[in-house]
Amino acid sequence: MIKTSTAPYAALLLRVSLGVLFLAHVALKIFVFTVPGFVAYFATLGLPAIAAYAIIALEFFGGVALILGVYAPWVALPLALEMLGTIVMVHGANGWLFTNKGGGWEYPAFWAVSLVVLFLLGDGVLALKPVGRTIR
């Protein structure tokens, strides 16, 4: 049974937490790996440079949109697809545990599931641009 009195706050907590994590994740790409380094890494995967820039933009603007609650359930879907893409392109071959060399796929999988849960839950409270679902 869903606890309707607190579910909107649970969605808020999940939404903001995921947004902060994405901002931290994109900051790692920009400030530690550097944008040119991240683009070069994408080249080693056989992906075009434009894809690396698109991922940086998706994580930055997606993270901000999640925190602010701007169409958050719809923003969660492409971010979940990105996480599934990291499993296929990068982490899947490294085994299950994220502590494995190169990082396994447990963390991206959990992240993808959390994003799908947010999509199913909705915006929660304090969303600037909710998708249009009503909270009862």
Side-chain angles (χ1 to χ4, degrees):
M1 184 59 72
I2 300 295
K3 192 171 180 184
T4 56
S5 62
T6 58
Y9 299 98
L12 168 68
L13 179 61
L14 181 62
R15 188 186 85 219
V16 172
S17 298
L18 287 167
V20 169
L21 286 172
F22 270 106
L23 290 183
H25 200 65
V26 77
L28 177 72
K29 289 177 175 71
I30 294 169
F31 300 114
V32 176
F33 301 145
T34 73
V35 174
F38 185 62
V39 171
Y41 175 69
F42 258 52
T44 68
L45 298 173
L47 297 170
I50 191 74
Y53 292 108
I55 292 299
I56 288 170
L58 175 63
E59 289 184 0
F60 177 75
F61 292 110
V64 171
L66 290 177
I67 291 167
L68 297 177
V70 177
Y71 305 115
W74 295 118
V75 170
L77 289 179
L79 290 168
L81 290 174
E82 177 202 347
M83 289 296 106
L84 293 175
T86 66
I87 293 170
V88 171
M89 298 297 297
V90 181
H91 297 291
N94 300 333
W96 166 250
L97 293 175
F98 200 69
T99 56
N100 291 352
K101 184 177 181 191
W105 58 277
E106 72 173 316
Y107 182 62
F110 181 75
W111 215 348
V113 169
S114 298
L115 288 157
V116 171
V117 168
L118 179 63
F119 170 76
L120 295 171
L121 271 175
D123 303 281
V125 296
L126 303 175
L128 291 180
K129 294 281 186 179
V131 169
R133 300 175 187 163
T134 58
I135 299 172
R136 297 179 195 193

